[in-house]
Amino acid sequence: MEKILLFDLGGVLVDVVSIDSLTAILHSQKSREEVAELWMNSNYLRLFESGKCDATAFAKGIIEEMGLPLSASAFLQAFAGFTSSLYPGVEKLLRELMQRHILACLSDTNALQW
């Protein structure tokens, strides 16, 4: 019997650098912990991830919530780069696993970062 292995992408197979990127944008106005808390509690992040607002409304909302010194278009460009690359060794691991299992991913990664 084949087993299906289901993976998330962000933070599991792909490095996500959103908190570090936002902290850098703020030029040390807030600590990494403060930025992480703002990001995780963002109303606009929830709205965007659930499809209840478009990218422009998301960007404007995040800028307001976090006090980011960026335009909406500059934020969206930065946001697209919040995912980095595969974690070291992931490609090799997946190649090995696909010899014995069916692999799939299910992710809340958005179109801007895909």
Side-chain angles (χ1 to χ4, degrees):
M1 176 188 284
E2 292 183 345
K3 290 185 179 178
I4 297 173
L5 299 179
L6 182 63
F7 294 93
D8 187 8
L9 294 177
V12 176
L13 300 177
V14 177
D15 190 12
V16 179
V17 295
S18 54
I19 303 305
D20 294 329
S21 297
L22 285 169
T23 303
I25 290 168
L26 286 165
H27 305 291
S28 301
Q29 294 173 4
K30 292 180 176 30
S31 71
R32 187 180 192 288
E33 291 75 25
E34 290 171 313
V35 172
E37 186 171 333
L38 285 169
W39 184 250
M40 297 308 295
N41 292 314
S42 168
N43 183 51
Y44 284 95
L45 179 61
R46 274 190 295 283
L47 290 171
F48 183 64
E49 287 184 341
S50 63
K52 295 179 180 164
C53 77
D54 66 13
T56 302
F58 164 64
K60 289 178 179 178
I62 290 289
I63 289 166
E64 182 180 327
E65 284 180 343
M66 298 190 77
L68 297 175
L70 299 173
S71 67
S73 61
F75 171 77
L76 290 174
Q77 184 176 6
F79 179 71
F82 281 8
T83 52
S84 180
S85 59
L86 293 174
Y87 285 116
V90 165
E91 282 188 70
K92 182 179 183 231
L93 173 66
L94 293 176
R95 280 194 185 98
E96 290 172 8
L97 291 172
M98 69 189 293
Q99 301 303 313
R100 300 181 310 274
H101 307 286
I102 296 170
L103 305 182
C105 72
L106 181 63
S107 183
D108 60 356
T109 301
N110 60 73
L112 296 173
Q113 295 176 325
W114 183 253

